[in-house]
Amino acid sequence: MSTVTPTRTSHEAVPTADGHGTADRVGSGLFDPRQLLESFPDALRKLDPRVMIKSPVMFVVLAGSVVTTVLALTDPTDWFAWAITGWLWLTTVFANLAEAVAEGRGKAQADTLRRAKTDTVARRIIGPNEERVAGTDLRIGDLVVCEAGDVIPGDGDVVEGVASVDESAITGESAPVIRESGGDRSAVTGGTKVLSDRVVIRITTRPGETFIDRMINLVEGAARQKTPNEIALNILLASLTIVFLLAVVTLKPFAIYAGADDQTSLIVLTALLVCLIPTTIGALLSAIGIAGMDRLVQRNVLAMSGRAVEAAGDVSTLLLDKTGTITLGNRQAAAFVPVEGVTEADLADAAQLSSLADETPEGRSIVVLAKETYGLRERDQGELTGATWVEFTAQTRMSGVDLDGRKVRKGATGSVLAWVKDRGGRAPGDAAALTDGIAQAGGTPLLVAVEDAEGARVLGVIHLKDVVKEGMRERFEELRRMGIRTVMITGDNPLTAKAIAEEAGVDDFLAEATPEDKMALIKREQAGGKLVAMTGDGTNDAPALAQADVGVAMNTGTSAAKEAGNMVDLDSNPTKLIEIVEIGKQLLITRGALTTFSIANDVAKYFAIIPAMFAVAYPSLDKLNIMGLTSPESAILSAVIFNALIIVALVPLALKGVRYRPASADRMLRRNLGLYGLGGLVAPFIGIKLIDLLLTLIPGIG
């Protein structure tokens, strides 16, 4: 199997988490001469009618170019025919160049990945033995062994062991990650490198279908298919083209009847048709879609289809996990709250003692809080001779220590209360009120209890606080202005969930959520006609990711989650979902804005050409020649030249995208109509008049 070795070259091939990877470097110069030169042969190859037919509008332009070329050859001295022919061919090439430049940015990344490919030898397990086989011989279900220094031969899940893995070939992030069996961080990718320890991996993909292979296909655009909206817009553009074709064809009989036959030659009618059909958006439509995918790649997100990017722009409901997305994830000890009759110092001492063996971030924060707030020296486990440490388990939900006939426990409220009750003790009356108060404030209460000569009793509560990430409330407010409803998903109890939801500013929350609850929520939203987006990383998230319209799987998650989602976030950052929605909306806005501009352009070009064509036969039409164009030939040629140049001028906007500002749909529509609709009407009048003035300087035209 061909995989990618994590060399410096492949590291640079993919955009890094800070957004300064190859995609940015390649895309930074939209009109870099070298990039244009490299893309020009592709633009010429796209003149193949079998390729051009995919865009009906540009296929008509190609056909018109061929017709005018034939007509120009019949009279080599007709400068007007040759001028029209040359600019029609340039129009076709400019349209192909826009798409070629957009594709070239992705191909630059794919080429670098291909150069870094190498054949990998795998150690496949056969019964009690191992055999060395080529990576291309591996099949789904095979077990392979990888140790420190080995390149992982294919995509799979760790089924035994734990190891540190270098994923810089995929993510661009140099820091190693931990992959282990039995959890949501078991997925490994072919081409990454094991740095330490030993793992057994079950292969989950066939050769040639690995994540790396799909990544190459996606970034170079080979796997991109037209989205439903693109197909619908192409049908609309084709319909408009047919309408204008019929209209132009009928002009010939009218011209003969009016005695203006010399003004409506086939070359002139062809030029008129090309100027009236929506060539601008027809030329840029494909580039807009490719650029949208590229903007996701720049943010280390791989979309498995253009449909997913488009759906992200139409999302109306976001499902976001609380931990790690809305909050920092690592709860920190904020306060020690003793029950009546117990001092804070005694509670802090017991809490610190019971947390010395707790290596979790929560446990470490308890030790630090006791040290900094109450001056308690952090004791080393080695100093406490004879101590028996009680580790936290999912069954007991407690941890602690037995030392010198004294037992100290810290843990979940229900577990600690049951432990006290089993030893003949009971909780004081204010313990329940303290835990409820902390939960209602959005915190997590941990009870601390002790059993000594005085019996078993509760000493107080540790207040753990899950800190909401800075700026989240503002982000959710932006989403609300966009008409997007946010729902926080958490396993916390309803009281804690409500407090966090209010602090973060989300619209709703789902507490004590199970995989079935997530699936039911998605189906309810979709039943109401809404599109839903969510993130996930575990096998239990796979059904919901598959059901969601936009399912973003974390790269650190399981293979099942990555297969179920239609996007993969290489940075495994759950908040990336908000950026994905913004990119999707930017794609839709860009397509809509340029469509509006293109159609408005056609209206203006109509006023430039039609009056010039028939002013001789119908002098009253000269009143419509508001630009005062010099002659019919100058008017037609100016419109054709402007039609070609406007495509080039709009390529940067198509690739970069219209700037997105969170706003309601009505407000965005008014803004686009005002800016691009009005701009599309005004620009041709100015541009065509300037070109006409320049043409008058050429002898024989003025």
Side-chain angles (χ1 to χ4, degrees):
M1 176 181 297
S2 294
T3 56
V4 177
T5 53
T7 62
R8 181 175 177 81
T9 303
S10 62
H11 181 127
E12 295 176 349
V14 183
T16 57
D18 61 2
H20 298 292
T22 299
D24 275 341
R25 293 195 296 272
V26 174
S28 59
L30 297 177
F31 283 100
D32 177 61
R34 180 180 176 183
Q35 187 175 356
L36 283 177
L37 188 63
E38 292 176 351
S39 301
F40 191 75
D42 288 335
L44 295 180
R45 281 191 287 269
K46 289 178 181 292
L47 292 175
D48 185 340
R50 293 170 296 181
V51 177
M52 297 294 293
I53 193 64
K54 296 178 182 178
S55 175
V57 176
M58 298 315 301
F59 181 77
V60 170
V61 179
L62 176 66
S65 304
V66 173
V67 170
T68 57
T69 301
V70 173
L71 294 174
L73 289 172
T74 61
D75 186 3
T77 62
D78 188 351
W79 67 266
F80 179 74
W82 283 110
I84 293 293
T85 299
W87 280 103
L88 289 185
W89 279 112
L90 284 176
T91 302
T92 310
V93 173
F94 288 161
N96 291 342
L97 192 61
E99 183 176 1
V101 170
E103 290 177 348
R105 297 195 292 175
K107 288 180 179 179
Q109 302 169 55
D111 290 343
T112 307
L113 286 172
R114 286 195 180 94
R115 286 195 299 268
K117 277 190 172 185
T118 182
D119 291 331
T120 304
V121 176
R123 295 163 55 189
R124 183 166 59 186
I125 297 178
I126 302 295
N129 303 317
E130 296 179 9
E131 64 173 358
R132 290 186 173 272
V133 298
T136 52
D137 293 336
L138 293 175
R139 294 295 179 263
I140 295 176
D142 284 350
L143 297 178
V144 297
V145 176
C146 289
E147 295 180 327
D150 291 344
V151 174
I152 296 174
D155 295 355
D157 289 322
V158 177
V159 295
E160 180 183 323
V162 58
S164 175
V165 179
D166 176 8
E167 294 188 341
S168 60
I170 310 299
T171 65
E173 176 57 55
S174 58
V177 296
I178 301 298
R179 293 290 176 262
E180 58 186 339
S181 62
D184 290 341
R185 296 180 179 268
S186 61
V188 291
T189 305
T192 57
K193 186 176 183 179
V194 177
L195 298 180
S196 67
D197 303 297
R198 175 185 185 275
V199 288
V200 177
I201 300 167
R202 178 182 288 113
I203 300 298
T204 57
T205 57
R206 288 185 288 269
E209 299 179 3
T210 65
F211 188 75
I212 289 289
D213 294 312
R214 287 188 294 165
M215 183 175 179
I216 292 174
N217 289 333
L218 287 166
V219 298
E220 71 178 356
R224 199 187 87 86
Q225 297 179 342
K226 289 185 177 180
T227 65
N229 279 354
E230 275 186 279
I231 295 172
L233 186 54
N234 264 317
I235 294 173
L236 173 62
L237 297 181
S239 302
L240 289 175
T241 301
I242 294 173
V243 170
F244 282 117
L245 179 61
L246 294 174
V248 169
V249 168
T250 60
L251 285 178
K252 189 65 174 178
F254 281 113
I256 295 174
Y257 177 77
D261 186 35
D262 57 334
Q263 301 295 325
T264 56
S265 66
L266 191 53
I267 288 180
V268 171
L269 292 178
T270 302
L272 174 63
L273 175 63
V274 170
C275 288
L276 292 185
I277 62 177
T279 51
T280 306
I281 185 61
L284 299 175
L285 186 58
S286 181
I288 293 170
I290 295 172
M293 299 275 286
D294 184 65
R295 282 193 290 275
L296 278 180
V297 173
Q298 290 180 31
R299 288 163 176 79
N300 266 10
V301 178
L302 293 182
M304 299 306 169
S305 68
R307 182 192 297 263
V309 185
E310 199 170 81
D314 286 327
V315 160
S316 51
T317 303
L318 282 185
L319 305 186
L320 300 165
D321 281 332
K322 183 201 75 165
T323 305
T325 304
I326 296 174
T327 65
L328 293 176
N330 294 332
R331 295 173 296 182
Q332 303 291 309
F336 298 118
V337 186
V339 298
E340 187 176 354
V342 178
T343 66
E344 288 188 21
D346 288 340
L347 173 59
D349 180 72
Q352 186 191 61
L353 189 63
S354 63
S355 302
L356 291 177
D358 187 352
E359 296 298 331
T360 65
E362 292 88 348
R364 293 291 89 199
S365 70
I366 293 171
V367 174
V368 171
L369 180 65
K371 176 183 177 182
E372 294 181 348
T373 306
Y374 299 97
L376 296 176
R377 183 178 63 86
E378 183 177 346
R379 291 159 286 190
D380 186 85
Q381 297 181 40
E383 300 177 18
L384 305 176
T385 57
T388 301
W389 301 100
V390 179
E391 296 184 359
F392 176 88
T393 67
Q395 290 73 31
T396 63
R397 301 178 67 192
M398 290 189 305
S399 63
V401 63
D402 297 343
L403 178 64
D404 298 332
R406 184 181 181 219
K407 297 181 179 180
V408 183
R409 295 292 184 271
K410 169 209 70 183
T413 301
S415 299
V416 173
L417 288 177
W419 181 82
V420 171
K421 184 177 179 181
D422 289 344
R423 281 154 181 75
R426 63 185 182 87
D430 58 342
L434 293 175
T435 56
D436 289 345
I438 291 173
Q440 290 174 0
T444 301
L446 293 181
L447 279 184
V448 178
V450 64
E451 182 185 19
D452 53 18
E454 298 179 17
R457 62 193 185 279
V458 173
L459 298 179
V461 187
I462 303 171
H463 182 181
L464 293 182
K465 188 175 182 181
D466 203 352
V467 181
V468 174
K469 290 181 177 179
E470 185 178 356
M472 292 305 295
R473 175 174 283 276
E474 290 74 17
R475 296 294 294 274
F476 291 138
E477 183 61 35
E478 290 180 1
L479 292 171
R480 197 171 294 111
R481 288 199 299 269
M482 293 156 50
I484 296 176
R485 177 170 171 264
T486 52
V487 181
M488 183 184 76
I489 307 296
T490 178
D492 289 340
N493 63 70
L495 290 176
T496 301
K498 181 181 180 181
I500 293 291
E502 290 177 351
E503 183 180 354
V506 296
D507 298 310
D508 202 355
F509 65 90
L510 179 65
E512 298 177 343
T514 64
E516 293 76 16
D517 293 334
K518 295 180 185 179
M519 178 71 79
L521 176 60
I522 293 173
K523 289 182 177 179
R524 283 199 305 271
E525 294 290 321
Q526 291 173 333
K530 299 177 180 178
L531 296 186
V532 181
M534 73 162 289
T535 61
D537 59 0
T539 301
N540 60 354
D541 290 326
L545 286 171
Q547 180 68 32
D549 300 283
V550 179
V552 183
M554 301 294 101
N555 189 48
T556 56
T558 62
S559 297
K562 289 195 282 189
E563 288 294 330
N566 48 25
M567 292 188 186
V568 177
D569 177 19
L570 301 181
D571 295 331
S572 300
N573 177 10
T575 60
K576 193 78 68 69
L577 181 58
I578 299 175
E579 294 181 45
I580 291 170
V581 170
E582 292 176 348
I583 291 172
K585 286 192 173 295
Q586 185 184 37
L587 171 65
L588 296 179
I589 291 170
T590 302
R591 187 185 295 154
L594 292 183
T595 301
T596 303
F597 187 91
S598 178
I599 294 175
N601 255 276
D602 297 336
V603 176
K605 286 180 284 187
Y606 173 88
F607 281 96
I609 298 179
I610 296 297
M613 289 175 58
F614 290 95
V616 175
Y618 298 100
S620 58
L621 284 178
D622 195 52
K623 295 179 181 179
L624 296 178
N625 186 14
I626 58 179
M627 286 182 279
L629 301 179
T630 307
S631 65
E633 291 82 3
S634 176
I636 295 168
L637 184 56
S638 298
V640 172
I641 294 174
F642 176 84
N643 193 62
L645 295 181
I646 196 65
I647 294 174
V648 180
L650 291 175
V651 168
L653 184 62
L655 297 183
K656 185 179 179 181
V658 174
R659 184 179 177 184
Y660 172 71
R661 295 187 181 95
S664 64
D666 292 342
R667 185 175 178 183
M668 285 190 289
L669 178 61
R670 289 194 300 269
R671 176 177 176 270
N672 284 343
L673 286 177
L675 182 59
Y676 297 99
L678 184 60
L681 282 172
V682 174
F685 285 99
I686 299 174
I688 291 174
K689 180 59 179 177
L690 290 175
I691 295 172
D692 176 70
L693 292 174
L694 292 175
L695 290 177
T696 58
L697 301 177
I698 301 176
I701 297 181

